[in-house]
Amino acid sequence: MTDSPGSSRKRPRSERQSRHSEAPPSSSSPSAHAMTTRSRSQSIAQLATKAAKTGSGLSAGEQQRKTAERTGKSRQPNEDMCTIPDKKAYVKDSESVSNDLEGADDDVLTLRAIKSLASEDGMLAKLGLVFSDPCTLARSFPQTDTSLAKACPVDASAVRKAYEIILGRSSVRVLEELRVLTVNAVSMLNWEPCDEHNNQMNAVLILLMNPLITEYKSSGSSSGYLFTDLCNAIIAQPSAQRTTLMHYLAADDGLPSDSADTDVSVAGAGSLPRSETDGRSTPFGRHIGIFQSYITREMVKAARRTQAAANGSVAADQTLQKVSLNALSSCSLPAVAQCLALMNSHNNAHNIVSYSLFYNDAVNEHIDIKDDVPRFRMPDSVSFCSYPFLLSPNTKSEIIRIESVILMRTELQDSFFRAMFSGVTCPYLVLEVRRDSLVRDTLYQLDLKLSQDLRKQLKVRFVGEEGVDEGGVQKEFFQLIVRDVFAPKYGIFKANDESQYHWFSHQSDPSKDALEEIRLTGQLIGLAVYNAVILDIHLPPAMYKKLLGMPTTRDDLREIDPTLHHGLMQLLRMSADELEFLDRTFEVEYDNVGELRTFELIPNGAQTRLTVDNREEFIDKYVDFVFNRSCDRQFLAFKSGFDRICGPSYVRFMRPRELELLVCGCSDLDFGALEGSTIYDGGYTRDTKVIQFFWEVVRGFTDELKRKLLFFATSSDRVPIGGLSKLHFVIAKNGGDSDRLPTSHTCFNVLLLPEYSNIDKLRERLLTAIHNSEGFGMI
């Protein structure tokens, strides 16, 4: 699954050079070019070293102006002092002192050198030296630990401590000079590559580790901030350089960090919350935080500007208006988001931190989805939807809901237009089913529908029952039909006794009718997603991985069949003699509809014995057999049905765990959250006596009774993404004290509750109602 937009192309060198007033000197050969770069860096080093020793105390900007005056090349700095140093002038001026400092290597900045500086003038001279150009900066803070240097040649721990020293004890003058030098260094990143190094990513890493990097202003940036210039410089680098930077950002810097939790459970409230073990304090997590903090700040500022423009001011307790990426006043966020996209892709490949670390709370809170979703489908338009790694499961489910509403509205309009020319057509997808033949009736009717019919809003009618489907009937319909489809009598799926997950029944040669039933089952699940209905099904994470085109692993086998996984892992701990005694070949025995069959994992597998040398291959082939080779035809049929409904939707940008939440909801029955978000109508309030009775009774319910209550009031016992606080639940008054049972409008999640006189009566009437909640009268 692709989580990010296409990578940006590197700008031609001619375009990059036009950003600056002076292009680098040309040379006739690459070797000559490299010699020029090396001589330039050494001359800069000699000049700055002489300044430090003579105690001149000139900052880099002052040195530049003095040199320009002596050489007759006066250059006026802009208001931010963001001028590119006149390197030719540096080189020419330094020739007079080159004999005194021959072979000096003071341009390599180390933590020890920073700690040894006692004067402010020395600090200014040293900073002016090191930040004079990216090539010089790239040689600073070399990693001396050979074990760490393999991963990253920069001593990141030393860089971090050096910035702490500089920012902690320096004057305003030094801090301002550091800002100017940083602006200049970023400006030169795309001017000329450092041929004397493998890449310029050392310098980029050092610049990124400045705690103030997101605060620096730069008049040359469209956003006014230097950080976006640095992001654009990163994006403009060749692919190999960007990959190198990702490895540097993820490298261990020797500091203690938490463990990465890349397998976040979906058993929580449905938003996949970030925990203290999600990897945020790892080096990679800390760098992700830099980009996230910038996006958060700019998003909140944009929301406040939008609110102020609409109302004239922003109150402290006022809910800020929603913001679309297209409506922002600058194009700074896409560049930062593209850098995060590079980090996200690297994390997907290497599982360094939890993917929930890429969710941005400010984006999810302030995004104007109604404006962003249509723009996402428009060419050459910008939208937060283009950066799905920033979006939480709640936001993604809302995007999918809006997409569905747009398509349903379009099909409704088309039905009216077609009726004008070709006769009346039904504007809805109507299924008329019998309760005692639910699966057969449904699969038969879906098989006759055209693709455009499946895009219409679903309406279900149970034959022989009154009721107009405004949402409640279809919820019960899905609840009942998935229960039947996954029943053993249909033979499509088989549940594991230990994990309770369902997987395809082993059939070496499934019939055409069986494949058709499987295809329509996938289509049924797609319809539920399209119509925003949560299903009570138990498919393993591997199923959602395969639906999204992701490979399955050994860990997926552990979830679906813990005993089999444990047995395979035992093979890795056996000795050669034990494996020989086991006398196992590359074959698998399986039950094919009551008949025991064998399958060769590799060609000539029956004659290939399991040994210490090939046991890793055996395990991988076995896992591949379970998830792929044993059910290829069944899964392809299932996926074709699912994709017929959800293929073009935003579902393809979800992660497997997020898709599982979308299909099944979450299992957390937090009725405290439901109590806090419930709406009261008909004269009831939170303080009404019968309402207090109601919640006191519900708090004492078991989980099973709570699920029955949910089903009674909403026609579904599943919890939506985000938890019960996201459920629009209403308790309305239904007359005074009486013996009537509570009733519900399941289409609108409304519980109609008489004003019972005491808690015992309420408990008895409520339990009677929820124990008899299947079937519909007047809805």
Side-chain angles (χ1 to χ4, degrees):
M1 180 181 62
T2 303
D3 279 335
S4 61
S7 58
S8 302
R9 299 178 182 175
K10 184 176 179 182
R11 294 189 297 272
R13 175 173 296 195
S14 59
E15 182 181 341
R16 298 198 306 272
Q17 290 175 347
S18 65
R19 296 174 56 204
H20 309 288
S21 59
E22 188 171 316
S26 60
S27 60
S28 59
S29 66
S31 59
H33 194 173
M35 292 175 61
T36 302
T37 304
R38 286 191 290 270
S39 64
R40 178 193 65 215
S41 299
Q42 183 159 342
S43 299
I44 295 172
Q46 293 167 348
L47 177 62
T49 303
K50 179 182 178 183
K53 290 184 176 180
T54 57
S56 62
L58 296 179
S59 68
E62 292 168 338
Q63 292 174 12
Q64 176 187 343
R65 290 189 290 274
K66 291 288 186 180
T67 303
E69 291 172 0
R70 290 195 299 270
T71 57
K73 297 181 179 181
S74 177
R75 301 174 63 178
Q76 297 297 325
N78 60 29
E79 61 180 1
D80 285 326
M81 301 177 65
C82 299
T83 55
I84 304 300
D86 193 335
K87 297 189 176 186
K88 291 182 179 180
Y90 267 118
V91 173
K92 180 177 180 180
D93 187 72
S94 62
E95 290 174 354
S96 60
V97 296
S98 59
N99 294 331
D100 298 331
L101 300 173
E102 189 69 32
D105 196 27
D106 287 342
D107 57 333
V108 177
L109 183 62
T110 63
L111 179 61
R112 181 179 178 182
I114 290 290
K115 290 180 177 179
S116 66
L117 295 174
S119 67
E120 184 177 281
D121 290 340
M123 180 72 76
L124 287 169
K126 197 67 175 178
L127 292 177
L129 156 70
V130 175
F131 283 84
S132 57
D133 68 75
C135 301
T136 307
L137 183 61
R139 290 198 301 272
S140 300
F141 302 101
Q143 179 59 261
T144 57
D145 188 328
T146 55
S147 62
L148 297 177
K150 294 179 181 178
C152 179
V154 176
D155 188 345
S157 178
V159 175
R160 190 174 291 106
K161 293 177 182 177
Y163 276 123
E164 289 178 1
I165 293 173
I166 296 172
L167 300 179
R169 74 182 191 191
S170 300
S171 65
V172 175
R173 178 188 176 202
V174 173
L175 296 180
E176 173 61 16
E177 190 63 20
L178 175 63
R179 183 190 70 83
V180 174
L181 291 166
T182 302
V183 171
N184 288 339
V186 171
S187 301
M188 286 185 282
L189 280 174
N190 279 338
W191 184 13
E192 179 181 11
C194 279
D195 294 332
E196 61 191 289
H197 302 290
N198 292 330
N199 54 70
Q200 293 175 302
M201 297 303 101
N202 296 16
V204 172
L205 177 62
I206 295 173
L207 292 170
L208 274 175
M209 296 185 73
N210 185 342
L212 299 179
I213 190 64
T214 60
E215 305 291 336
Y216 289 153
K217 294 292 185 71
S218 173
S219 61
S221 172
S222 60
S223 67
Y225 284 98
L226 175 68
F227 190 64
T228 58
D229 292 336
L230 181 57
C231 289
N232 282 316
I234 293 172
I235 296 168
Q237 296 299 316
S239 176
Q241 300 284 58
R242 296 197 301 265
T243 301
T244 298
L245 177 61
M246 295 303 107
H247 285 291
Y248 288 179
L249 296 179
D252 184 9
D253 57 8
L255 294 179
S257 61
D258 58 29
S259 60
D261 179 14
T262 60
D263 187 21
V264 181
S265 172
V266 299
S271 59
L272 302 181
R274 290 174 291 208
S275 67
E276 293 303 322
T277 59
D278 59 6
R280 71 179 65 191
S281 66
T282 63
F284 201 57
R286 288 192 291 266
H287 289 297
I288 292 172
I290 295 173
F291 293 87
Q292 292 282 36
S293 65
Y294 182 88
I295 293 177
T296 296
R297 184 186 67 195
E298 293 302 298
M299 193 68 187
V300 172
K301 286 168 58 178
R304 291 187 179 278
R305 286 197 302 268
T306 304
Q307 186 71 42
N311 299 337
S313 63
V314 181
D317 58 346
Q318 190 174 15
T319 301
L320 299 180
Q321 287 194 357
K322 302 298 184 179
V323 179
S324 67
L325 187 58
N326 184 75
L328 294 179
S329 59
S330 70
C331 60
S332 61
L333 289 187
V336 182
Q338 286 183 55
C339 285
L340 263 181
L342 295 174
M343 302 177 76
N344 178 66
S345 297
H346 187 75
N347 188 62
N348 289 340
H350 300 282
N351 291 330
I352 304 167
V353 299
S354 169
Y355 60 78
S356 64
L357 209 59
F358 287 90
Y359 298 152
N360 188 282
D361 294 337
V363 171
N364 287 287
E365 180 180 357
H366 301 301
I367 180 176
D368 186 354
I369 300 180
K370 293 182 180 179
D371 184 69
D372 257 40
V373 171
R375 292 188 180 278
F376 176 61
R377 299 297 182 182
M378 298 168 56
D380 302 324
S381 184
V382 293
S383 167
F384 280 116
C385 297
S386 299
Y387 308 101
F389 51 87
L390 293 174
L391 307 179
S392 68
N394 294 343
T395 303
K396 290 175 182 174
S397 66
E398 184 66 13
I399 291 172
I400 293 169
R401 188 192 66 80
I402 291 176
E403 283 185 329
S404 299
V405 169
I406 293 174
L407 288 174
M408 289 177 184
R409 186 181 299 122
T410 301
E411 288 299 330
L412 184 63
Q413 294 171 348
D414 290 346
S415 295
F416 287 119
F417 282 117
R418 284 194 294 267
M420 298 172 59
F421 302 101
S422 58
V424 176
T425 59
C426 183
Y428 302 104
L429 170 61
V430 179
L431 297 178
E432 295 189 9
V433 295
R434 296 166 294 176
R435 285 186 180 271
D436 58 354
S437 185
L438 198 59
V439 175
R440 184 182 299 275
D441 289 352
T442 301
L443 298 187
Y444 175 75
Q445 291 181 54
L446 285 179
D447 195 33
L448 297 178
K449 300 297 182 182
L450 300 176
S451 295
Q452 60 263 30
D453 292 329
L454 299 176
R455 301 275 185 247
K456 298 175 181 178
Q457 184 179 355
L458 177 64
K459 298 286 186 180
V460 178
R461 188 174 74 85
F462 287 104
V463 176
E465 298 183 20
E466 297 179 351
V468 178
D469 186 8
E470 294 294 339
V473 180
Q474 69 173 242
K475 284 189 287 186
E476 189 196 14
F477 160 75
F478 278 111
Q479 190 90 2
L480 297 176
I481 194 170
V482 297
R483 185 177 64 188
D484 289 347
V485 165
F486 286 88
K489 66 178 181 179
Y490 283 99
I492 298 177
F493 296 96
K494 183 179 180 180
N496 181 274
D497 294 335
E498 188 174 1
S499 68
Q500 296 302 310
Y501 279 130
H502 289 82
W503 193 249
F504 297 106
S505 298
H506 290 303
Q507 298 182 43
S508 57
D509 188 22
S511 65
K512 182 178 180 181
D513 290 341
L515 291 176
E516 188 66 14
E517 288 182 350
I518 294 173
R519 182 184 68 82
L520 292 174
T521 301
Q523 191 169 282
L524 187 68
I525 295 176
L527 272 177
V529 171
Y530 185 71
N531 288 273
V533 178
I534 299 174
L535 302 177
D536 183 16
I537 60 177
H538 302 279
L539 295 174
M543 181 69 81
Y544 302 102
K545 277 189 172 184
K546 288 173 67 67
L547 285 174
L548 295 172
M550 300 175 64
T552 52
T553 65
R554 298 176 182 180
D555 289 338
D556 296 312
L557 181 62
R558 178 177 56 194
E559 295 198 52
I560 190 174
D561 194 336
T563 300
L564 177 58
H565 177 270
H566 177 74
L568 291 176
M569 294 301 102
Q570 285 288 96
L571 297 178
L572 298 177
R573 292 184 283 271
M574 290 184 177
S575 64
D577 292 340
E578 289 172 327
L579 288 175
E580 184 178 1
F581 178 78
L582 191 62
D583 192 24
R584 186 68 185 263
T585 60
F586 274 64
E587 288 181 299
V588 174
E589 291 185 347
Y590 67 96
D591 178 26
N592 182 65
V593 195
E595 180 184 356
L596 190 62
R597 294 191 180 184
T598 60
F599 178 85
E600 291 186 331
L601 297 176
I602 60 175
N604 200 33
Q607 283 72 45
T608 305
R609 300 183 65 83
L610 176 62
T611 65
V612 171
D613 295 330
N614 62 20
R615 57 186 173 184
E616 291 278 1
E617 181 187 8
F618 177 84
I619 294 173
D620 290 337
K621 294 294 184 182
Y622 204 124
V623 172
D624 181 60
F625 168 77
V626 172
F627 289 122
N628 301 308
R629 302 180 69 178
S630 69
C631 58
D632 271 344
R633 297 179 64 189
Q634 294 96 313
F635 174 75
L636 288 176
F638 181 84
K639 187 176 188 300
S640 67
F642 181 82
D643 287 346
R644 189 182 182 193
I645 311 297
C646 297
S649 76
Y650 202 76
V651 165
R652 67 186 186 275
F653 293 107
M654 302 191 82
R655 297 178 183 272
R657 295 291 191 180
E658 296 170 341
L659 180 55
E660 183 177 0
L661 283 173
L662 181 67
V663 173
C664 305
C666 61
S667 58
D668 185 20
L669 293 173
D670 184 5
F671 267 66
L674 181 63
E675 182 179 350
S677 62
T678 296
I679 301 171
Y680 302 97
D681 195 13
Y684 283 161
T685 68
R686 188 180 303 274
D687 299 324
T688 304
K689 200 67 176 178
V690 70
I691 296 299
Q692 294 178 356
F693 289 160
F694 174 81
W695 288 116
E696 184 177 347
V697 169
V698 170
R699 292 187 202 107
F701 278 0
T702 63
D703 284 351
E704 181 182 359
L705 286 177
K706 288 178 179 178
R707 290 195 179 280
K708 284 181 176 291
L709 174 60
L710 276 180
F711 186 83
F712 172 73
T714 70
S715 280
S716 174
D717 63 356
R718 306 299 296 173
V719 180
I721 294 180
L724 286 174
S725 63
K726 301 297 182 181
L727 180 66
H728 181 79
F729 183 56
V730 180
I731 300 179
K733 185 175 181 178
N734 190 25
D737 184 28
S738 69
D739 291 332
R740 287 182 300 168
L741 294 175
T743 55
S744 62
H745 290 310
T746 55
C747 304
F748 309 104
N749 300 336
V750 177
L751 175 65
L752 300 173
L753 188 68
E755 193 170 7
Y756 298 115
S757 58
N758 60 75
I759 190 171
D760 293 331
K761 187 174 184 178
L762 184 147
R763 180 184 294 108
E764 186 272 330
R765 296 282 82 190
L766 183 61
L767 287 174
T768 301
I770 67 177
H771 282 307
N772 298 273
S773 59
E774 188 169 303
F776 282 81
M778 294 300 293
I779 303 300

